[in-house]
Amino acid sequence: MDTIEQALEFEQTKMKSLSTSDRIEISREAKRLILELNQIYKKKKDERIMDIMKRLTAIKQKVEKRLKGRPTV
C-alpha cells in the first residue's frame, strides 16, 4: 500500500511556476506511479486504484501538454 500513499501524496504537490526540469521530473514520477498502481490493480481489481490512476494520468497529461508547448501553424 506504500505506492498508493505515494500517489495520494503526489496528487497534493503544488504544480505552479515549475521549471522545465521540474515538469520532466513530475511527468516521470507520475508515469512510475501509474505503472506501479497498474500492477496492484491487476491483482486486486479495486476501483479506487483505477480512480487514482485516472487522476494521475490527468496530471501527467497537463504537465506534458505544457512541456510540448504551443503548436505552430
Side-chain angles (χ1 to χ4, degrees):
M1 291 300 187
D2 188 42
T3 304
I4 294 173
E5 292 169 7
Q6 287 178 355
L8 294 174
E9 184 178 314
F10 178 79
E11 279 186 301
Q12 302 303 317
T13 59
K14 302 272 182 181
M15 302 286 176
K16 301 217 181 231
S17 66
L18 300 171
S19 67
T20 301
S21 60
D22 290 338
R23 292 181 203 285
I24 292 169
E25 195 174 304
I26 286 172
S27 177
R28 289 179 181 164
E29 179 69 13
K31 181 177 181 178
R32 181 188 68 78
L33 289 169
I34 291 166
L35 291 174
E36 287 181 19
L37 287 171
N38 192 31
Q39 293 301 319
I40 296 170
Y41 179 76
K42 285 179 184 178
K43 294 175 188 171
K44 296 188 178 186
K45 302 291 186 200
D46 188 359
E47 287 301 316
R48 291 178 291 169
I49 296 173
M50 180 58 78
D51 292 337
I52 294 170
M53 288 192 312
K54 287 178 183 178
R55 293 192 307 260
L56 289 179
T57 301
I59 291 170
K60 183 177 177 289
Q61 287 174 342
K62 277 185 184 178
V63 169
E64 287 180 347
K65 184 187 293 185
R66 180 76 170 112
L67 273 173
K68 291 178 183 176
R70 196 183 303 175
T72 57
V73 176

